Amino acid sequence: MPYILGTAGHVDHGKTALVKRLTGIETSHLPEEKKRGMTIELGFASLEDPVHGTVGIVDVPGHERFIRNMVAGTWGLDAALLIVAADDGWMQMSSDHLRVLKAMKIDSILLVITKSDLAEKDMLELLIEDANAQCEKIIGKTLPAVAVSSLTGSGIEELKAEITKLLSSSKKQTPPTPFLYVDRVFVLKGIGTTVTGTLRGKGLHSGDSLQIYPSNEECRIKSIQNHHKDVDKIEPGTRTALNLKLGEKTNLERGMLLAQKDSNFILSGKELLVRIDEVFTNKEGGLKNHAEIEIALGSAHAIGSIHLNQFDKSLGRLSLNEPIASAWNQRAVLIRHGGSEIIASVRVLASFPSYKRMQFKEAFEVYRDKELPSIHSYQFNIEGFVEDPKIKTEELTSDKSEVAEYGSWRFLKKRLEFWEKKILKTAQESQAGFTLEEVDLPIPQKVKTIVFKKLCDEKKIEKEAHIYKLSGRTGDDLSKNAKDLLDAAFKAGFEGIEIDKIKIPQARKEARDLIKLGKLICLENFLHYHTDFYKKTVNSLLAKYKPGDKFSIADAREVTGLSRKYILPILNLLEKEGKLKRQENDRIVL
């Protein structure tokens, strides 16, 4: 299984020289780096390990001004060499780089004392003791250590043996998608755009399609290189170069993320919800609410401001000037705006394209005072349901009692109980039953139908055609208001009643229920007939005229004794029922 090993440590402590001694590769490739004698950009090399095969090495800059580049080099590491020079000892960037390693959860670290030819054995032992005292303060443990000289080669073989052990003890990062932050972009004539980065998650093949985040544009892999060799496929945990086919206007630059299309594991946006794991500084009050900061994650960084949650100070809203992409729960560091001081380590829990107060309030509530087991758990808490059988229940919640199962569906129990309560309340209040659409629930129609079906299976409600009603309720179970309204309609006889003029509480609602029950007929607008009187009118007409007979409005008025106010809407209803057909101003019985 491939591994990535990185360097960390103060400027001019011999990181690049050590990499060259280990691998024979000079990682300083910029003219300015050679001129100044220090690393500015990331450098890359490879080491042949007797157990783990080809190990990718990332050499990071040690100067505080290039701390963002250091973060870009460490996000994908499996293990790291923390380098301290024998002639300088522990320095400020030694601490800062160790904090970055801690923030990135890189636990497999080897302490390497370089330039051992410049110190006596006793001094080297004191340097290791002092360095481990600093490690104890920052990461809560001491580190295995080895002293080496890149100049003389002393300790190099021992270091290689320790690297083998270090990699064997490291824990691999396993995102559920191919996952590569772009750290370099080249455009070569006749070849096109090539990007480099550390691949995590799943492997890639030539011809695979990927999505570019945060722009959400697509690209396709034309060819792959690993350590300067052409390959058809690449395993996760390796340094790789991808030659890509892009759209004409597609923009691809350092800091962008390549991953599977529409992966729910990938978050992108300008508004981030972050968990603050540790604040590293007390200068200027530490991490201040609403302060301008810079976030560095993967090979990306962006400027914005942090807004702390008033109920859980470990949660904050990070409002950025430009969108950024990350994995769910990805680790990052906050840097003081305009400087290089590392303020805090954070994890990205959610992201949104823009700020919406209610959306963030809901997200804050989901994460308040608790950790979630997976991105599926966040979505489950927000939506309240999941159908995908591939997602395990333990990925949804750490407490199985919070989950209710129905067939292939799993529901967040408190959400389901709220929805069911609302449906049953509607059923209780509805004399004549109700339709699916009459219950306003903030869930997709498919999910709503499943919840209704569950209640039917549990005999709490029952369905007839498209109408639902409380189980056991009959059409005779009328409320007092409904009975009063029906009685008023009966007493009105052929005069009917106008609902908007009836002084009965909730008259319109009761009228709708009585219509569903077939006890009341709406002629038009607010004019209603008791069903008995409507039937008498219809029967008198159809007793006089047989199928095929034609009659006028005047004829209908004469037969029924009703005025145009009543007879016209009755004739219109009979047309809708398919009992009559209009022919100019006359009607024909069907």
Side-chain angles (χ1 to χ4, degrees):
M1 184 180 290
Y3 287 88
I4 303 289
L5 177 69
T7 63
H10 197 76
V11 63
D12 201 29
H13 274 207
K15 296 185 293 298
T16 302
L18 178 61
V19 170
K20 186 174 182 180
R21 186 76 197 206
L22 281 169
T23 68
I25 298 170
E26 174 64 66
T27 58
S28 294
H29 55 278
L30 297 178
E32 189 180 354
E33 290 179 318
K34 298 184 182 207
K35 180 180 176 183
R36 295 167 67 177
M38 71 176 187
T39 302
I40 296 171
E41 267 290 356
L42 300 176
F44 305 101
S46 59
L47 170 70
E48 291 303 318
D49 184 86
V51 174
H52 304 292
T54 303
V55 176
I57 294 184
V58 180
D59 184 27
V60 305
H63 198 284
E64 64 175 350
R65 282 182 292 170
F66 307 118
I67 191 67
R68 295 154 188 82
N69 289 348
M70 190 273 173
V71 175
T74 57
W75 80 270
L77 299 182
D78 296 302
L81 306 179
L82 179 62
I83 292 167
V84 178
D87 59 340
D88 250 359
W90 191 271
M91 302 290 282
Q92 179 58 46
M93 293 310 292
S94 308
S95 296
D96 283 355
H97 279 209
L98 185 57
R99 289 189 181 105
V100 171
L101 294 176
K102 181 183 181 183
M104 299 296 145
K105 204 172 174 55
I106 297 163
D107 298 322
S108 298
I109 307 171
L110 177 65
L111 176 62
V112 182
I113 305 297
T114 56
K115 306 183 184 182
S116 63
D117 54 293
L118 299 181
E120 298 295 330
K121 184 178 179 182
D122 290 349
M123 180 57 70
L124 290 174
E125 289 175 358
L126 284 173
L127 282 166
I128 291 171
E129 187 179 331
D130 177 63
N132 263 324
Q134 296 292 337
C135 292
E136 185 81 51
K137 285 180 189 175
I138 295 170
I139 60 174
K141 67 177 183 179
T142 58
L143 300 175
V146 60
V148 301
S149 170
S150 300
L151 184 65
T152 67
S154 171
I156 293 297
E157 291 307 313
E158 182 187 352
L159 173 58
K160 287 181 178 179
E162 288 296 325
I163 287 172
T164 301
K165 286 191 230 174
L166 185 71
L167 295 176
S168 298
S169 69
S170 72
K171 295 177 182 177
K172 302 288 285 183
Q173 300 177 33
T174 54
T177 171
F179 185 88
L180 182 144
Y181 269 109
V182 175
D183 50 42
R184 290 190 291 180
V185 181
F186 308 95
V187 180
L188 302 174
K189 191 174 181 180
I191 296 175
T193 302
T194 297
V195 302
T196 66
T198 299
L199 179 64
R200 287 295 177 193
K202 294 182 178 179
L204 290 172
H205 297 74
S206 294
D208 284 353
S209 292
L210 294 171
Q211 190 159 320
I212 304 167
Y213 297 88
S215 65
N216 294 324
E217 295 178 273
E218 288 187 56
C219 63
R220 186 173 61 79
I221 301 172
K222 292 196 290 185
S223 62
I224 303 172
Q225 274 200 351
N226 174 235
H227 300 304
H228 308 290
K229 294 177 183 177
D230 290 326
V231 293
D232 291 325
K233 63 180 181 178
I234 191 78
E235 291 183 73
T238 52
R239 290 291 305 170
T240 183
L242 304 177
N243 181 228
L244 301 173
K245 182 178 181 181
L246 305 172
E248 281 185 26
K249 297 183 179 179
T250 299
N251 179 44
L252 187 55
E253 57 191 37
R254 178 175 174 154
M256 288 185 164
L257 177 62
L258 300 181
Q260 197 171 295
K261 185 180 178 184
D262 299 327
S263 171
N264 61 8
F265 183 73
I266 305 300
L267 308 175
S268 65
K270 292 173 69 173
E271 298 286 336
L272 310 183
L273 171 64
V274 297
R275 171 84 70 194
I276 301 153
D277 287 324
E278 185 175 0
V279 177
F280 295 132
T281 180
N282 290 318
K283 291 181 186 177
E284 301 178 26
L287 183 60
K288 284 187 176 180
N289 200 14
H290 312 305
E292 275 196 300
I293 52 86
E294 189 172 345
I295 185 171
L297 78 169
S299 59
H301 58 92
I303 296 167
S305 53
I306 183 81
H307 310 283
L308 303 176
N309 182 257
Q310 60 179 319
F311 301 109
D312 183 350
K313 296 296 184 185
S314 74
L315 293 175
R317 173 171 69 90
L318 199 55
S319 184
L320 302 175
N321 296 344
E322 57 191 63
I324 201 167
S326 75
W328 174 79
N329 213 33
Q330 184 171 335
R331 295 172 179 274
V333 295
L334 300 185
I335 301 168
R336 194 175 300 284
H337 179 49
S340 301
E341 183 191 3
I342 298 171
I343 303 173
S345 64
V346 301
R347 284 173 288 129
V348 182
L349 305 179
S351 68
F352 307 95
S354 60
Y355 174 62
K356 292 179 181 176
R357 184 174 172 274
M358 290 308 297
Q359 202 172 39
F360 257 92
K361 184 179 179 183
E362 191 175 39
F364 274 134
E365 197 56 41
V366 168
Y367 281 107
R368 181 177 169 184
D369 299 323
K370 66 178 177 182
E371 294 287 350
L372 300 184
S374 75
I375 182 64
H376 302 301
S377 180
Y378 172 68
Q379 292 164 338
F380 183 62
N381 275 271
I382 292 293
E383 296 173 353
F385 62 87
V386 66
E387 188 185 14
D388 190 346
K390 291 182 286 187
I391 301 173
K392 298 174 183 177
T393 299
E394 51 265 33
E395 292 180 77
L396 301 177
T397 176
S398 54
D399 183 359
K400 290 186 178 181
S401 67
E402 293 179 343
V403 180
E405 296 187 14
Y406 176 71
S408 62
W409 292 82
R410 281 165 291 174
F411 296 93
L412 188 62
K413 193 174 286 184
K414 62 181 180 182
R415 288 287 186 90
L416 179 63
E417 287 172 352
F418 172 77
W419 299 333
E420 290 182 338
K421 188 176 179 181
K422 197 166 183 180
I423 294 167
L424 293 173
K425 184 173 184 288
T426 303
Q428 190 69 45
E429 293 173 350
S430 177
Q431 306 297 319
F434 56 99
T435 63
L436 198 76
E437 291 73 23
E438 286 180 62
V439 184
D440 183 24
L441 296 178
I443 53 177
Q445 188 80 351
K446 181 181 178 182
V447 182
K448 196 177 187 181
T449 303
I450 292 297
V451 177
F452 269 73
K453 186 176 184 300
K454 178 178 178 291
L455 289 173
C456 287
D457 288 349
E458 293 170 352
K459 309 297 183 189
K460 292 178 181 177
I461 60 174
E462 53 191 53
K463 183 183 180 185
E464 186 176 327
H466 67 289
I467 300 295
Y468 294 87
K469 62 180 180 178
L470 205 62
S471 285
R473 174 165 282 175
T474 67
D476 297 324
D477 297 331
L478 299 179
S479 67
K480 181 180 181 304
N481 290 340
K483 289 176 181 176
D484 289 346
L485 186 63
L486 196 59
D487 187 50
F490 187 83
K491 288 177 180 177
F494 293 107
E495 293 292 316
I497 56 172
E498 294 186 49
I499 294 299
D500 60 329
K501 296 177 182 177
I502 294 290
K503 305 299 182 186
I504 293 174
Q506 296 186 306
R508 294 187 188 185
K509 176 191 170 299
E510 301 293 358
R512 288 194 297 271
D513 282 351
L514 290 169
I515 290 167
K516 286 179 189 173
L517 290 169
K519 295 179 181 292
L520 205 62
I521 302 293
C522 177
L523 300 187
E524 64 177 6
N525 298 328
F526 299 110
L527 184 59
H528 290 66
Y529 255 28
H530 190 288
T531 301
D532 290 352
F533 288 90
Y534 177 72
K535 286 179 178 178
K536 285 178 184 178
T537 303
V538 173
N539 289 340
S540 63
L541 266 176
L542 299 183
K544 174 73 174 176
Y545 300 107
K546 305 302 180 189
D549 290 349
K550 183 193 294 186
F551 63 89
S552 66
I553 293 173
D555 293 334
R557 288 182 60 193
E558 185 179 339
V559 170
T560 61
L562 299 176
S563 67
R564 289 177 67 90
K565 173 183 176 180
Y566 301 101
I567 199 63
L568 279 176
I570 289 173
L571 294 178
N572 290 338
L573 279 177
L574 288 172
E575 279 186 62
K576 287 181 182 177
E577 292 171 9
K579 294 178 180 177
L580 297 180
K581 182 175 76 171
R582 185 181 301 200
Q583 189 178 75
E584 295 180 349
N585 290 327
D586 294 332
R587 305 293 191 279
I588 298 173
V589 180
L590 298 175

